[in-house]
Amino acid sequence: MTKGKVYFVGAGPGDVGLITVKGQKAIEKADVILYDRLLNPKLLEAATLDCELIYCGKTPYTNGISQGEINELLVSKALAGQRVVRLKGGDPAVFGRVGEEAEALNDEGIPFEIIPGVTSSIAASIYAGVPVTHRDYGRSFAMVTGHDRTKKDIDWNGLVNSIDTVAFYMGVANLPYIRENLINHGKPGNTPALVIQWGTYGRQESVEGTLDDIVERVSERSLGNPAITLVGDIISLRGKLQWFEKKPLYGQRFLVSRTGTAKSSLAEALHELGGEVIEFPKWHAAKVKIEESQLLSFLMYDRILFTSPESADGFLDSLIEHAIDFRRITSKLYVLSRKSKKALQQRGLMAELKSEMSEAGTLLVVGDRNRDQRDPAHGDGDYFQSIDKFVDERFLEILPRMLDGIAVGTVLFSNRHSVDMLMQYGNKADVDIEGLLKQASIGVIGESTGNRLKDYGFTLDMMPNEPSVQQLVELIVNRNDFRL
């Protein structure tokens, strides 16, 4: 059997936008992905449906899967002829043990590539408003592991006397030890220090002080790993260069319940404004086979209502597959959402919202669910399922880890179906969705969605006057009280 190949990919520190183009392509083509705890699991959504996802998470305090077991998995999967991605937070070559893992592959004659990523110290620092170099404050920069205090080979004299800015990785537990050694080797106690937890995530938290008081300040705020500790005069620039922590939704964590395969414009808007957004469930779509004669008969209806962007795309793709000209569509087209309306516009077709639909004429409802799951609110017309949309259950085990560590402040729903799906699949993922919703603020785009939540016994906190993503986002930004 032909040997496979292993790609070591740096995922960056948390913000999914920091993945490299080459790293993204490797994820998209992988047969197997072995991924670590500190990367953003949203990156895994780019993997194909048949890609095997293997969690290799470890914390500074627990061993989890051993390094030897990881090496064995890399070797065995590659020897089976598979294309393997070892996905690591930050950069794989910066305290990522890529040397050990690549060495194990080399011993077996397995080819590999190493794709660098944005390392955590540089990204977290600049997201906190501190460049690691500056011609007036710091011309040298060092990265040091802060996790193991038993190391005797750290050149503390060199760090103090030759390096302007030092970043310690995962050193919160050993912060007293780090401070002691820096001061004992000549670093002034008034040297600026900064600890950044969960850098580049919306939950990023920064504590600024000096070597004299940073341990106490961090303890007061109960910061822990993952964190970067930065030491150096360059931190004094932070007051002028902060940008990320000034975003209007910085520090807020959202859960967006989704029902589609397309990118969520709501989630993207919240992320752009500094919020940390979890989207769930993850969906896939597959074609539904349809005969040409049946498709042609559908074009005889007076009205066609598409229930989702996927249902519209599936229907139109079937027309293309059978070489049926779109100009043969004489039906009046209707949609449930502006997103579906945009999907049709991109194909050169105009549609109106269902609220504007007349009752006259024959009606065909084109949906993405089985006939027995259709929503009666869509109308009494005939029904056709143009696409098979289903939840990717690989992400059920990932959801609890995404929710770990900090509470979700706001849960958002775009339609009635999104309410049912979060309740069903959240509980299937062993997450207490009812408890989460009781603690969080709840927002919806429209009245129908709000009514569905009331059916479950929940009370709304936000609903825009006009049912649109833009207005819901404005409500979120303008409200005075965030419950974290």
Side-chain angles (χ1 to χ4, degrees):
M1 180 180 289
T2 304
K3 290 179 182 177
K5 187 173 182 178
V6 176
Y7 295 80
F8 295 95
V9 177
D15 185 336
V16 292
L18 297 180
I19 185 76
T20 65
V21 173
K22 190 170 184 178
Q24 178 81 5
K25 289 181 178 178
I27 294 170
E28 293 170 355
K29 296 178 180 179
D31 298 313
V32 183
I33 297 177
L34 283 75
Y35 66 100
D36 282 347
R37 178 179 74 99
L38 295 182
L39 59 88
N40 193 326
K42 187 170 177 59
L43 292 170
L44 300 172
E45 293 187 3
T48 60
L49 182 59
D50 56 356
C51 177
E52 182 181 6
L53 306 178
I54 302 175
Y55 180 59
C56 299
K58 291 180 279 190
T59 76
Y61 316 107
T62 61
N63 292 325
I65 184 172
S66 71
Q67 188 60 53
E69 290 172 314
I70 294 173
N71 293 353
E72 290 173 8
L73 275 170
L74 292 172
V75 170
S76 64
K77 296 295 183 181
L79 288 178
Q82 294 181 301
R83 187 183 182 102
V84 182
V85 165
R86 178 71 172 104
L87 195 57
K88 294 172 171 284
D91 183 287
V94 180
F95 308 121
R97 307 188 77 164
V98 71
E100 300 167 48
E101 295 176 10
E103 200 172 3
L105 297 174
N106 182 71
D107 292 343
E108 298 291 337
I110 297 170
F112 60 86
E113 286 188 25
I114 301 174
I115 300 174
V118 180
T119 189
S120 302
S121 61
I122 294 174
S125 299
I126 200 61
Y127 268 56
V130 180
V132 294
T133 62
H134 188 285
R135 63 181 181 178
D136 295 329
Y137 293 90
R139 294 174 178 265
S140 55
F141 169 62
M143 294 178 282
V144 182
T145 177
H147 173 49
D148 190 353
R149 65 179 295 171
T150 64
K151 295 283 186 184
K152 301 299 182 183
D153 53 358
I154 294 178
D155 182 3
W156 293 103
N157 279 321
L159 290 179
V160 169
N161 297 316
S162 302
I163 305 297
D164 296 316
T165 309
V166 184
F168 294 91
Y169 282 64
M170 306 294 279
V172 172
N174 289 331
L175 196 53
Y177 171 76
I178 292 169
R179 173 175 69 179
E180 177 187 358
N181 276 278
L182 289 173
I183 292 177
N184 287 346
H185 287 83
K187 202 74 169 175
N190 63 355
T191 303
L194 179 69
V195 176
I196 311 157
Q197 183 185 45
W198 289 110
T200 80
Y201 279 94
R203 72 186 105 160
Q204 173 179 304
E205 188 169 359
S206 305
V207 173
E208 186 175 353
T210 65
L211 283 179
D212 281 334
D213 62 14
I214 192 64
V215 173
E216 292 72 26
R217 287 174 178 259
V218 168
S219 178
E220 288 172 4
R221 295 275 288 276
S222 300
L223 261 63
N225 287 318
I228 293 293
T229 298
L230 206 64
V231 178
D233 292 335
I234 202 167
I235 295 169
S236 61
L237 289 171
R238 173 171 149 81
K240 298 178 180 179
L241 302 184
Q242 284 188 67
W243 60 276
F244 180 63
E245 295 174 7
K246 290 183 177 180
K247 289 195 170 189
L249 298 183
Y250 163 73
Q252 312 307 318
R253 202 175 195 199
F254 301 86
L255 173 59
V256 173
S257 179
R258 61 183 181 186
T259 58
T261 59
K263 289 183 178 180
S264 166
S265 57
L266 174 58
E268 288 187 334
L270 296 171
H271 176 75
E272 181 62 27
L273 292 169
E276 180 177 347
V277 186
I278 297 171
E279 297 177 72
F280 182 83
K282 168 75 169 85
W283 293 84
H284 285 282
K287 286 184 178 180
V288 172
K289 188 171 179 58
I290 180 173
E291 299 298 327
E292 181 178 0
S293 59
Q294 189 178 13
L295 263 179
L296 289 171
S297 71
F298 290 157
L299 303 186
M300 305 299 292
Y301 283 81
D302 299 312
R303 299 169 296 157
I304 299 178
L305 171 65
F306 297 101
T307 66
S308 67
E310 293 87 355
S311 67
D313 286 333
F315 185 84
L316 298 177
D317 286 344
S318 294
L319 292 179
I320 293 172
E321 186 176 339
H322 290 288
I324 299 174
D325 195 324
F326 285 8
R327 288 173 294 183
R328 296 184 64 175
I329 302 176
T330 58
S331 313
K332 191 75 173 176
L333 304 181
Y334 296 93
V335 293
L336 295 182
S337 68
R338 286 175 172 78
K339 186 180 288 188
S340 297
K341 188 174 183 177
K342 185 177 181 180
L344 288 170
Q345 286 176 336
Q346 290 172 340
R347 304 287 193 117
L349 298 171
M350 303 304 294
E352 296 179 3
L353 293 174
K354 181 181 180 294
S355 59
E356 303 166 340
M357 186 170 71
S358 70
E359 297 298 322
T362 55
L363 172 66
L364 174 69
V365 179
V366 179
D368 53 26
R369 291 185 255 171
N370 293 331
R371 185 182 302 274
D372 57 0
Q373 295 178 316
R374 65 175 292 186
D375 189 336
H378 294 162
D380 297 327
D382 295 330
Y383 184 80
F384 169 64
Q385 182 185 4
S386 67
I387 202 83
D388 181 20
K389 199 165 64 175
F390 54 94
V391 169
D392 187 341
E393 298 201 359
R394 293 175 302 175
F395 287 82
L396 296 183
E397 70 171 53
I398 294 174
L399 179 63
R401 292 199 294 270
M402 296 178 76
L403 294 173
D404 187 34
I406 186 171
V408 169
T410 308
V411 183
L412 301 170
F413 299 92
S414 57
N415 53 49
R416 291 173 60 89
H417 189 44
S418 68
V419 178
D420 296 329
M421 292 300 95
L422 182 62
M423 300 302 296
Q424 178 182 344
Y425 284 98
N427 289 323
K428 197 171 182 179
D430 291 328
V431 171
D432 180 11
I433 294 297
E434 291 84 357
L436 189 156
L437 288 171
K438 288 177 182 177
Q439 297 297 319
S441 295
I442 301 175
V444 300
I445 288 179
E447 186 175 355
S448 174
T449 309
N451 291 335
R452 187 60 181 146
L453 274 160
K454 291 175 184 176
D455 291 341
Y456 282 98
F458 297 107
T459 303
L460 296 184
D461 297 286
M462 292 173 292
M463 184 177 72
N465 294 326
E466 179 188 339
S468 71
V469 168
Q470 181 180 352
Q471 285 215 0
L472 179 58
V473 172
E474 288 177 2
L475 265 183
I476 293 169
V477 171
N478 292 332
R479 62 181 172 163
N480 295 321
D481 178 35
F482 278 98
R483 281 187 284 170
L484 301 180

